[in-house]
């Protein structure tokens, strides 16, 4: 009867055991993008390094993001399309899982990706550019960087609004005695700001797709019955 009732409400329940287990759930893990947030990221601003060749680099940025499958990439493509940019020819394209992209263009190497990738590759970021990026991060915006092999060339701020229902949902779960956790591939600054806005006390930032399953297993080892909510392939 329960499985039938779920189907009527658009909920597919795998088997009776899943349904029986669900009442014992005492920990719930939420993915951030598209679950807590609307999953419709928009570019808020692009800040260029002093003296950067903006027109050519915009075309490079546009071309890289056109080939990426990341939701943030779509936001950048939509934003740059407004300025009628053209595509350029890339000699090489390499995806760095969970961190970004490395390309060869006009004989030079370029990176596009997370603050963690910039750190790993020892990329120099101008102090004034970093100050602006920190400001964006404190407002719960995601920052991605474009860099050559030594210097950051541009910081891109992307915002994804929190769903109106998220705060209420988190509160209801906590009132039922369920621990709520948030996982995100995003940086610490953004994760903290979003967690605070929705009232989540436990969160983990810069989580790679493979880390999500490990996190759930760790909670299960503490004796918790865990539910996971996400909208991506890697969540399932």
């Amino acid at each position: 009867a329960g499985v039938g009732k779920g189907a009527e409400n658009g909920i597919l329940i795998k088997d009776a055991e899943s349904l029986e287990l669900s009442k014992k759930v005492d920990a719930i893990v939420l993915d951030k993008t598209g679950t807590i947030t609307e999953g419709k990221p928009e570019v808020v601003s692009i800040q260029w390094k002093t003296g950067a060749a903006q027109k050519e680099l915009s075309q490079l940025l546009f071309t890289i993001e056109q080939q990426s499958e990341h939701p943030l990439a779509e936001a950048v493509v939509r934003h740059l399309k407004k300025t009628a940019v053209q595509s350029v020819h890339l000699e090489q394209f390499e995806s760095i899982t969970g961190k970004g992209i490395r390309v060869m263009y006009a004989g030079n190497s370029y990176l596009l990706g997370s603050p963690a990738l910039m750190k790993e590759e020892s990329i120099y970021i101008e102090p004034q550019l970093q100050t602006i990026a920190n400001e964006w991060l404190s407002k719960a915006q995601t920052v991605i960087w474009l860099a050559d092999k030594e210097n950051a060339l541009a910081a891109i701020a992307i915002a994804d609004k929190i769903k109106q229902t998220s705060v209420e949902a988190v509160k209801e779960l906590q009132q039922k005695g369920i621990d709520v956790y948030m996982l995100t591939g995003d940086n610490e600054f953004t994760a903290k700001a979003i967690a605070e806005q929705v009232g989540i006390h436990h969160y983990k930032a810069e989580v790679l797709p493979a880390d999500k399953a490990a996190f759930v297993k760790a909670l299960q080892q503490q004796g918790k019955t865990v539910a996971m909510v996400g909208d991506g392939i890697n969540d399932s």
Side-chain angles (χ1 to χ4, degrees):
V3 172
K5 200 74 195 155
E8 274 175 36
N9 289 283
I11 301 164
L12 301 180
I13 298 159
K14 190 179 165 191
D15 50 30
E17 192 188 352
S18 307
L19 192 55
E20 280 178 27
L21 257 182
S22 66
K23 72 173 189 291
K24 295 178 186 164
V25 167
D26 54 7
I28 192 154
V29 177
L30 307 176
D31 179 48
K32 178 179 77 71
T33 306
T35 301
I36 294 170
T37 65
E38 288 178 356
K40 294 175 192 156
E42 296 289 338
V43 171
V44 180
S45 190
I46 298 180
Q47 185 69 40
W48 297 94
K49 176 183 182 279
T50 319
Q54 285 185 33
K55 192 181 176 199
E56 191 183 6
L57 290 170
S58 291
Q59 292 175 341
L60 173 64
L61 183 58
F62 179 69
T63 309
I64 297 171
E65 294 292 48
Q66 264 189 321
Q67 293 187 35
S68 170
E69 290 165 357
H70 202 280
L72 297 183
E74 286 172 35
V76 176
V77 169
R78 274 199 311 273
H79 179 77
L80 290 173
K81 264 185 180 163
K82 296 174 198 163
T83 58
V85 291
Q86 302 293 312
S87 293
V88 292
H89 173 67
L90 301 178
E91 289 131 40
Q92 222 173 318
F93 184 97
E94 179 203 344
S95 184
I96 307 160
T97 308
K99 289 175 188 167
I101 292 157
R102 188 194 308 275
V103 300
M104 284 293 287
Y105 165 63
N108 295 310
S109 175
Y110 292 92
L111 289 166
L112 178 65
S114 66
L117 181 65
M118 298 301 117
K119 206 171 173 184
E120 246 172 57
E121 299 284 334
S122 306
I123 299 297
Y124 173 73
I125 298 170
E126 278 181 358
Q128 67 202 70
L129 207 50
Q130 189 62 66
T131 304
I132 291 164
N134 289 348
E135 218 171 279
W136 291 339
L137 292 167
S138 67
K139 293 178 187 163
Q141 291 168 4
T142 301
V143 177
I144 54 173
W145 294 89
L146 175 68
D148 57 24
K149 57 178 185 286
E150 288 169 7
N151 300 294
L153 304 170
I156 302 122
I158 299 171
D160 186 9
K161 285 187 199 135
I162 291 171
K163 285 180 190 170
Q164 285 182 324
T165 50
S166 291
V167 179
E168 202 181 317
V170 167
K171 198 171 161 187
E172 274 186 39
L173 288 162
Q174 287 167 340
Q175 282 168 348
K176 286 187 162 93
I178 296 171
D179 288 333
V180 182
Y181 299 82
M182 180 185 85
L183 296 186
T184 178
D186 226 322
N187 62 80
E188 177 68 26
F189 266 108
T190 308
K192 186 173 189 280
I194 297 270
E196 280 174 2
Q197 284 175 40
V198 291
I200 290 176
H201 313 300
H202 318 285
Y203 68 89
K204 211 170 174 194
E206 293 180 14
V207 177
L208 295 174
D211 300 335
K212 290 180 178 177
F215 184 80
V216 170
K217 280 198 181 109
L219 288 179
Q220 287 170 329
Q221 278 162 3
Q222 291 169 31
K224 294 185 186 295
T225 302
V226 187
M228 165 84 196
V229 186
D231 75 327
I233 300 288
N234 62 41
D235 298 315
S236 63

